[in-house]
Amino acid sequence: MEGRAVLLVNLGSPDSPSVTDVRRYLNQFLMDKYVIDLPYLLRRLIVSGFVLPSRPKQSAEAYASIWWPEGSPLKVLTERLTEQLANKTRAVSVRYAMRYGSPSIEQELVSLAHQADVTEVLVIPLYPHYAMSTVKTCIVELERIVCDQEIRLPVYVHPVFYEDDAYIDALYKVAEPFLQTAYDHLLFSYHGVPERHIRKDDPTGTYCLSSADCCHQNSAVHSTCYRAQVFKTTEAFVAKAGIEQNKYSVAFQSRLGKAKWLEPYTSKQLVSLASQGVKKLLVMCPAFVSDCLETLEEIAIQGEEIFKAAGGESLTLIPCLNDHEVWTDVLAAWWQKSPAKLSRVKV
């Protein structure tokens, strides 16, 4: 792909675990209308009146507990992945950006557009599953930048990859050493989303969450249904790994606010599993490709405390794909995809 540059996009991170930097990050993140999908004034009231007065201090403490000497784990791992991908492809440039925080998508995309040897840009959002608060906001931001900055070279977006064979194989290869140990249960903990997000992304307006098994039926609606897609990832993984049905379950973490989010909640599932006699628990988080606050603190620290307090003996977090070589190889193969298999950002 002569002239093609690659831009990896991850969620983002504060610049430091200081309260000031965390407050700035949370403000940008939560004021995105695709994260808290309410009218601006109500969103501003919630964020400024209820979240920012206390949440930054709590989150700063959580970030400090997992912060690496080099910086934010998510950012460090994304940097490493970018460097390794650059060594595995003939892309004229490989960069990364964050939807929230720095470096910004706008900063990196504009820089690539002004690079003389770049003729097109492939953007790979590092989100396996479609959601309003991840993929959709990333695409909307790309469209805004292309329009505002009058970027004329083609900008393509790689599709979600929740059941891509190469992605599932990479997940399995990273998890395989852990699956070969003695364990009682494997919990798939996916990032949660409000149920209203699922309904809003339903093009029919009536199908999603209409029945207990709607996600397990064949439907074109699943192309934008986060819940259906995480079930597809789980099914593909357990089939690949040969895991028995009674030895795994699915839950959703990181709930914010009082609205109803996808269930069961991970915190409650951890207690339930311990009460059922599960002693040695493995947890993997396929919604994340990079370890971050939600995996390293919410699962490996908080989750372990909850599980042990309920009677469990050990909780082992299976690492995300991070900068594992097999994952870098997958991205290197995607770099060569034909534009016909990609979506072009609207000009």
Side-chain angles (χ1 to χ4, degrees):
M1 293 295 174
E2 186 176 351
R4 174 177 284 182
V6 177
L7 180 62
L8 303 178
V9 176
N10 217 330
L11 183 71
S13 173
D15 292 332
S16 80
S18 72
V19 174
T20 299
D21 284 342
V22 171
R23 179 180 290 110
R24 183 185 303 111
Y25 172 76
L26 288 177
N27 182 65
Q28 183 187 10
F29 173 53
L30 296 176
M31 282 305 296
D32 185 341
K33 66 180 180 180
Y34 297 105
V35 175
I36 297 182
D37 55 320
L38 297 172
Y40 175 82
L41 290 178
L42 181 55
R43 188 165 71 251
R44 184 74 272 172
L45 174 64
I46 291 172
V47 174
S48 296
F50 297 95
V51 179
L52 294 183
S54 59
R55 188 64 177 258
K57 184 176 184 299
Q58 299 169 5
S59 295
E61 292 172 354
Y63 274 110
S65 71
I66 57 100
W67 208 259
W68 291 352
E70 308 98 308
S72 160
L74 180 143
K75 192 169 183 178
V76 172
L77 289 166
T78 306
E79 288 174 349
R80 292 176 184 173
L81 180 66
T82 302
E83 292 171 2
Q84 292 184 25
L85 181 60
N87 293 331
K88 285 181 177 286
T89 70
R90 290 178 285 104
V92 293
S93 184
V94 180
R95 300 190 186 184
Y96 77 91
M98 300 295 177
R99 177 61 185 90
Y100 313 103
S102 61
S104 69
I105 298 175
E106 184 161 16
Q107 170 189 332
E108 296 303 316
L109 185 57
V110 169
S111 177
L112 287 171
H114 288 92
Q115 190 170 319
D117 53 351
V118 173
T119 59
E120 63 182 42
V121 179
L122 169 60
V123 179
I124 305 180
L126 296 174
Y127 312 114
H129 314 89
Y130 180 91
M132 177 190 302
S133 55
T134 55
V135 174
K136 186 172 184 176
T137 185
C138 180
I139 292 173
V140 170
E141 176 68 356
L142 287 168
E143 291 174 345
R144 181 195 69 78
I145 295 165
V146 167
C147 179
D148 289 355
Q149 298 293 338
E150 299 183 348
I151 295 174
R152 297 303 172 214
L153 56 78
V155 178
Y156 297 102
V157 180
H158 192 279
V160 289
F161 45 91
Y162 59 95
E163 59 180 346
D164 184 284
D165 288 342
Y167 162 67
I168 298 299
D169 187 55
L171 281 179
Y172 174 69
K173 288 181 179 177
V174 171
E176 187 176 18
F178 298 88
L179 298 175
Q180 292 177 346
T181 64
Y183 71 96
D184 299 322
H185 194 87
L186 171 62
L187 176 63
F188 292 84
S189 182
Y190 292 93
H191 198 292
V193 298
E195 286 192 353
R196 70 174 183 271
H197 282 203
I198 301 294
R199 293 190 174 95
K200 281 188 174 182
D201 280 330
D202 176 0
T204 71
T206 58
Y207 182 85
C208 285
L209 303 177
S210 61
S211 66
D213 65 342
C214 59
C215 287
H216 301 286
Q217 300 174 8
N218 291 325
S219 173
V221 170
H222 294 170
S223 64
T224 55
C225 179
Y226 177 81
R227 185 170 181 265
Q229 292 179 9
V230 303
F231 286 142
K232 286 288 188 181
T233 296
T234 305
E235 292 164 5
F237 182 91
V238 297
K240 174 80 176 178
I243 300 174
E244 298 176 5
Q245 188 171 1
N246 63 353
K247 206 169 181 177
Y248 74 90
S249 58
V250 173
F252 299 90
Q253 63 182 90
S254 308
R255 179 171 175 254
L256 176 67
K258 296 181 178 180
K260 187 176 182 182
W261 285 45
L262 294 178
E263 295 179 310
Y265 301 140
T266 295
S267 56
K268 292 184 178 180
Q269 186 71 350
L270 291 172
V271 173
S272 176
L273 290 170
S275 68
Q276 295 169 36
V278 171
K279 297 298 182 183
K280 297 180 179 180
L281 179 65
L282 297 180
V283 182
M284 63 185 299
C285 304
F288 306 96
V289 300
S290 306
D291 277 309
C292 53
L293 185 72
E294 286 79 2
T295 63
L296 299 174
E297 196 275 338
E298 189 174 352
I299 298 298
I301 297 177
Q302 285 191 45
E304 182 181 40
E305 291 175 355
I306 293 170
F307 182 63
K308 286 185 175 180
E313 291 181 359
S314 67
L315 182 154
T316 302
L317 173 68
I318 297 175
C320 292
L321 296 172
N322 294 330
D323 57 343
H324 195 288
E325 185 175 8
V326 67
W327 175 226
T328 312
D329 288 340
V330 171
L331 294 173
W334 289 352
W335 166 74
Q336 301 181 72
K337 278 192 176 180
S338 163
K341 296 183 178 181
L342 306 168
S343 298
R344 183 170 178 177
V345 174
K346 298 175 183 178
V347 178

